[in-house]
Amino acid sequence: MNAKKHVNHSALSLLALIAVVFILYILKPFIVPILFAIILSVMVFPLQRFLEKKWRCNRLFATLTCVIALIFLVGLVFFLISSRLMYFMDNSELYSQKLGELFQKSVNSLEHTFNIGNNRLFSQQDLKAENIIKANLDKIVILLTESSSIISDLVLIPIYVFFFLYYRAFFRTFIYKAFKSKSKSFINNVLNRIYEIQQNYLLGLITVIFIVGCLNSLGLLALGIGNPFFFGFLAAFLLLIPYIGVIIGSLLPAIIALATKDSAWYAIGVIGVFGFIQFLEGNFITPKVTGSKVSVNAFVAISSLVLFSMLWGITGMILALPITATLKILFDSTPGYEAYGFLIGEPVDKHLQSRARLRLKKWKSLRKAKYS
């Protein structure tokens, strides 16, 4: 009887999981802006609290100030990035011509080396910007279609941020009423932990972006690549997409190095510099800056990136780690789900050592206790 009940419970849990994934996929245009708004609300809430407590501003004025500051900051970042990208688009013909010449030289060299014959895989005409646009017209149409949803998100997210900040006490009361079986102190503790981990993630991410942006810029400056600070901080900004963002960020300056320098070694140097800085970021900078507060192990982090990218695309990759860190807190605080919270967290030393080493360590501690 107990086995049958367990099977029924497992089947219901599986159906519930499938239903949740289906709902998250179908309601992506509604859910993703709300999640971004929650994260941005956490980011600007210290300013809101400062205005309300230190300057004695009423909540409406403080909320409007925070939203306007957020819009200005995001708009400034987009303006700086788009203006520089437009500059490179204006010079795309020059870059494509130089890349075409380099490509032809490489093909000719290979043909001469391996005695393939004078077969042209690509012509100079194929590398022109207008021909690339014509060949990928369908992809550009899809991009323009998706950009309309991005524009709508840019309108909705500030509205959501406003209400999350202005109605925060109202939403907290709703959570109290929705979970009547839990005490207010327990709910407050969970909410505070979620807020702290999100704030720690955001502040740590901003600090890491600044440090990595400076290192990238110095590396490009040493190589003599044009616009080093733009490319350096653009690649650092793409750290929002963990593990993959640095690869995307290194491609553009590497291509520019191929087009503007006499040797391909400059492009290899760009990729090498960015790879070395990524190694420093993953093994030294991020652990020192964020510490152990965002305790998600590497296996779960990579798995969440894959799953959320399948679910929501690039936006899912950006949201993967904050959502996973929040799920860990919820699992740790929910009876019966502690094992899942344990699985998401970082393993301790005893989980990374062999049994023989653990027995030796235990024997040494017992011997020390015996003779002390």
Side-chain angles (χ1 to χ4, degrees), residues 204-268:
L205 185 62
I206 292 171
T207 305
V208 169
I209 286 175
F210 177 76
I211 295 173
V212 172
C214 291
L215 293 176
N216 288 341
S217 302
L218 290 175
L220 294 176
L221 192 64
L223 290 172
I225 307 300
N227 298 282
F229 292 97
F230 168 74
F231 288 124
F233 279 92
L234 178 62
F237 184 74
L238 289 173
L239 287 174
L240 288 169
I241 309 175
Y243 301 105
I244 299 175
V246 67
I247 299 174
I248 301 172
S250 64
L251 289 179
L252 188 56
I255 293 172
I256 298 299
L258 281 175
T260 57
K261 296 295 183 180
D262 297 330
S263 174
W265 286 106
Y266 285 95
I268 297 174

Side-chain angles (χ1 to χ4, degrees), residues 246-309:
V246 67
I247 299 174
I248 301 172
S250 64
L251 289 179
L252 188 56
I255 293 172
I256 298 299
L258 281 175
T260 57
K261 296 295 183 180
D262 297 330
S263 174
W265 286 106
Y266 285 95
I268 297 174
V270 169
I271 295 175
V273 166
F274 277 49
F276 177 69
I277 294 172
Q278 172 68 9
F279 171 78
L280 293 178
E281 180 269 326
N283 293 277
F284 299 101
I285 300 174
T286 296
K288 291 293 183 182
V289 172
T290 61
S292 59
K293 293 183 180 180
V294 184
S295 54
V296 176
N297 66 69
F299 170 74
V300 173
I302 296 173
S303 300
S304 65
L305 288 173
V306 173
L307 291 173
F308 279 97
S309 66

